Amino acid sequence: MSRLIVAILVGAGASAVLFAVATSDASRIWGVLGIAVAVGILAALLRRVRGSAARASSSPGAGGAVAPRPTGGGRRIARRALLLTAGLGGAAVVAWPIRDEVAAQARVLPFRHDLSDYVRGPGRAETAIEAFIVARGDPTVTDVVVYPRYVLFTAPTSPGASTYDSFQVRGGRLTRTGPSSIQPDAVAEFSVEDIAWGAIPALHEQLGEAMQADGGELGGARRQAGVQRSSRDGGPTRISVLLYDAYRDGTLIADQDGTVLEIS
């Protein structure tokens, strides 16, 4: 039984750690390590109890010799198959709730182009927006910043509130990181449902092509995209894409439908 428990937890832990490393989610790694330590202690206790019971049952009685326990290759194969199935089951338990993220990470492997990137991965920004709406139940924000591995939001503390908090979507999960360092005015609010998030990869590519045409290849360029209103007094909502390396930077501004307005 202890080996079965360990197999299940090893599968679950391996699945969670691999996903956490791929998405740079350190909190998930620490959680898995904590569970692994607890399970290791439990498994050790179970093995000790089982060992004590086995020794007691194998002690010779008044009749003398103890009959040896039957062994066989068939039993070993069946036991290993059971442990393997348990391990795969444990991995599936962890992977199923985050299957969309796991699939996105898996699709990255055959390509040099990172399809899991929230900025340039097709459909990736939309998954972060969907996670935000589902968790919050309200699409209202004042600012969104899209990075390759996570997306940041500034939004009302609760729907309709006049105070604002910072939120983060990483690995398909929304977390509240605390009060926003800058408390915006209500005129800065907009709905994430009004933005053409699917246009961001094409806008990023267009900016990159413009910068390369102007000054050659970009070395180790970093990227991000943001959405907010064009002024502190409100104004239309704008999508901005920023691309930069050690020597140059470029910005593309588009309207909320993804129509390019300016490249600089």
Side-chain angles (χ1 to χ4, degrees), residues 136-223:
R136 293 269 297 162
D138 179 23
T140 303
V141 297
T142 63
D143 182 68
V144 180
V145 183
V146 182
Y147 293 98
R149 295 300 180 196
Y150 56 91
V151 181
L152 302 180
F153 301 81
T154 303
T157 302
S158 59
S162 59
T163 56
Y164 296 86
D165 284 0
S166 297
F167 300 85
Q168 179 187 102
V169 169
R170 185 193 293 265
R173 298 186 305 164
L174 178 71
T175 56
R176 185 193 308 265
T177 57
S180 174
S181 57
I182 298 177
Q183 293 291 307
D185 296 325
V187 294
E189 292 181 354
F190 63 92
S191 172
V192 293
E193 295 178 323
D194 296 334
I195 309 302
W197 299 101
I200 288 179
L203 297 176
H204 167 269
E205 185 175 354
Q206 185 173 347
L207 175 59
E209 290 174 351
M211 293 181 66
Q212 289 179 9
D214 182 58
E217 291 293 325
L218 291 166
R222 299 184 179 183
R223 56 199 172 275

Side-chain angles (χ1 to χ4, degrees), residues 4-257:
L4 188 62
I5 294 175
V6 170
I8 293 172
L9 269 296
V10 166
S15 177
V17 169
L18 287 174
F19 178 73
V21 171
T23 58
S24 304
D25 190 349
S27 62
R28 193 184 298 265
I29 297 176
W30 286 115
V32 170
L33 290 178
I35 294 173
V37 170
V39 171
I41 294 173
L42 177 61
L45 291 174
L46 288 174
R47 287 181 66 86
R48 174 168 292 187
V49 170
R50 184 180 177 183
S52 299
R55 285 192 298 271
S57 63
S58 62
S59 298
V66 177
R69 296 178 62 184
T71 60
R75 290 186 59 188
R76 284 196 297 271
I77 293 174
R79 185 164 55 247
R80 290 171 183 173
L82 178 62
L83 294 176
L84 177 60
T85 302
L88 293 175
V93 167
V94 172
W96 180 253
I98 52 174
R99 55 191 178 277
D100 292 336
E101 288 293 322
V102 172
Q105 295 295 333
R107 287 197 299 270
V108 174
L109 297 179
F111 303 98
R112 293 182 62 188
H113 185 72
D114 191 350
L115 300 180
S116 71
D117 189 315
Y118 282 120
V119 176
R120 59 182 182 177
R124 292 292 291 147
E126 290 97 322
T127 64
I129 300 304
E130 182 181 359
F132 176 83
I133 295 174
V134 169
R136 293 269 297 162
D138 179 23
T140 303
V141 297
T142 63
D143 182 68
V144 180
V145 183
V146 182
Y147 293 98
R149 295 300 180 196
Y150 56 91
V151 181
L152 302 180
F153 301 81
T154 303
T157 302
S158 59
S162 59
T163 56
Y164 296 86
D165 284 0
S166 297
F167 300 85
Q168 179 187 102
V169 169
R170 185 193 293 265
R173 298 186 305 164
L174 178 71
T175 56
R176 185 193 308 265
T177 57
S180 174
S181 57
I182 298 177
Q183 293 291 307
D185 296 325
V187 294
E189 292 181 354
F190 63 92
S191 172
V192 293
E193 295 178 323
D194 296 334
I195 309 302
W197 299 101
I200 288 179
L203 297 176
H204 167 269
E205 185 175 354
Q206 185 173 347
L207 175 59
E209 290 174 351
M211 293 181 66
Q212 289 179 9
D214 182 58
E217 291 293 325
L218 291 166
R222 299 184 179 183
R223 56 199 172 275
Q224 67 185 66
V227 179
Q228 61 183 15
R229 293 199 178 274
S230 58
S231 70
R232 295 176 61 88
D233 299 327
T237 309
R238 295 287 185 251
I239 301 172
S240 60
V241 178
L242 177 64
L243 188 60
Y244 58 96
D245 62 11
Y247 300 101
R248 295 184 295 156
D249 62 80
T251 304
L252 180 150
I253 306 297
D255 65 17
Q256 66 181 32
D257 297 322

